[in-house]
Amino acid sequence: MAARVVDNLARVRERIATAAERSGRDPSAITLVAVTKYAQSASLAALIEAGCLDLGESRPQQLWERAKEFAGRGVRWHMIGHLQRNKVPRTAPLVTLLHSCDSLRIADALDQALVQSQNGSSDEAQPLDTLLEVNISTDPAKGGFAPDDVEAGLAHVATLRHLRVRGLMAMAGKPDDASAAHADFRHLRELSERLKSHCPPGVTLDELSMGMSGDYEVAIEEGATIVRVGSALFEGVEP
Ligand SMILES: *Cc1c(COP(=O)(O)O)cnc(C)c1O
């Protein structure tokens, strides 16, 4: 089983490199986040052993458990799912990057929860690095900032002392449709480029987190700096 995970990892890395080269990009500029939400501990151990140290979870509880289980192994944890306010104090210190700040309400709640969790010693504490999640396909059934609201969102989050925006995150509206995914990812990159030149102080838009198992190569061609890949790593391993 471990051998199969390592095999899958090699294939995904290979495809990342090929997609990067195809679009004239340096493969080392792309971070693979292995999404382990459906994987067993043994699969995580195999990934870590193979040097895949950026791991993503969508449920805080599972992230806590696994951060504990694999403490001291150099794992960088990415929170990619919705984070409720009451889970912030315990999650924030474990997380390298939060991908899923998806509204002003959540941004404010995160900031307040971070103040409280730091017990007033906020001057010394590191802000939490985050991405703003954008509803790039403007699907009313999906969460995230509307593309037209991102600029105002950045301006607001820039005033929150405990959050530091690093970039944007999105999912393609129709993951099985490559040409629709191309368009969605291109729109996210164009939005990021348009806003980059006049970012508020403290905000950077260097990261574009986009692309999952079905469309990560498309996302790389459109400029992804982070891809979040789950099921492709666990084919033949997890049910
Ligand atoms: C589950 C999940 C992924 C990974 O999806 P796969 O299709 O299994 O690669 C990526 N991003 C988010 C936000 C997810 O919830």
Side-chain angles (χ1 to χ4, degrees):
M1 182 181 90
R4 184 68 198 264
V5 174
V6 172
D7 245 33
N8 290 346
L9 174 64
R11 192 162 35 245
V12 169
R13 280 176 166 164
E14 175 85 40
R15 289 173 65 169
I16 288 173
T18 306
E21 277 151 19
R22 195 159 60 226
S23 34
R25 303 186 57 206
D26 178 356
S28 70
I30 295 149
T31 300
L32 167 64
V33 172
V35 177
T36 48
K37 62 187 176 196
Y38 300 130
Q40 313 265 337
S41 279
S43 293
L44 275 74
L47 287 172
I48 293 167
E49 189 66 27
C52 179
L53 296 177
D54 286 277
L55 304 184
E57 286 287 340
S58 57
R59 291 201 314 264
Q61 223 118 2
Q62 187 155 310
L63 191 150
W64 303 340
E65 284 160 20
R66 290 178 158 181
K68 192 166 169 198
E69 183 177 356
F70 294 102
R73 307 283 299 273
V75 174
R76 294 176 291 272
W77 290 101
H78 296 251
M79 178 65 200
I80 63 170
H82 187 71
L83 183 57
Q84 304 98 308
R85 185 198 164 93
N86 64 338
K87 306 248 165 74
V88 171
R90 205 164 154 191
T91 310
L94 303 172
V95 162
T96 294
L97 184 63
L98 173 70
H99 291 234
S100 47
C101 178
D102 56 6
S103 67
L104 288 183
R105 200 176 54 79
I106 286 295
D108 285 341
L110 285 168
D111 190 61
Q112 281 166 27
L114 286 163
V115 176
Q116 283 160 15
S117 72
Q118 289 157 3
N119 249 335
S121 63
S122 53
D123 289 341
E124 293 149 53
Q126 278 279 99
L128 176 63
D129 282 333
T130 188
L131 308 177
L132 293 197
E133 181 171 350
V134 182
N135 183 0
I136 200 66
S137 60
T138 62
D139 178 344
K142 291 203 163 79
F145 287 85
D148 288 344
D149 294 341
V150 173
E151 184 166 10
L154 292 175
H156 179 78
V157 179
T159 67
L160 305 177
R161 291 179 49 210
H162 301 89
L163 286 178
R164 185 164 57 183
V165 178
R166 295 309 205 184
L168 305 179
M169 179 274 218
M171 283 177 260
K174 294 187 225 145
D176 298 330
D177 178 341
S179 77
H182 260 294
D184 284 344
F185 294 147
R186 186 164 61 246
H187 288 146
L188 191 71
R189 170 171 44 87
E190 288 169 352
L191 178 64
S192 166
E193 281 168 359
R194 197 159 67 240
L195 298 174
K196 233 177 206 173
S197 56
H198 50 282
C199 270
V203 169
T204 55
L205 292 181
D206 295 331
E207 304 294 348
L208 279 179
S209 170
M210 54 189 197
M212 319 195 335
S213 290
D215 53 21
Y216 65 94
E217 291 158 290
V218 169
I220 289 167
E221 288 170 15
E222 295 296 352
T225 63
I226 303 173
V227 292
R228 308 176 310 270
V229 179
S231 43
L233 291 171
F234 306 111
E235 264 166 31
V237 183
E238 308 287 354

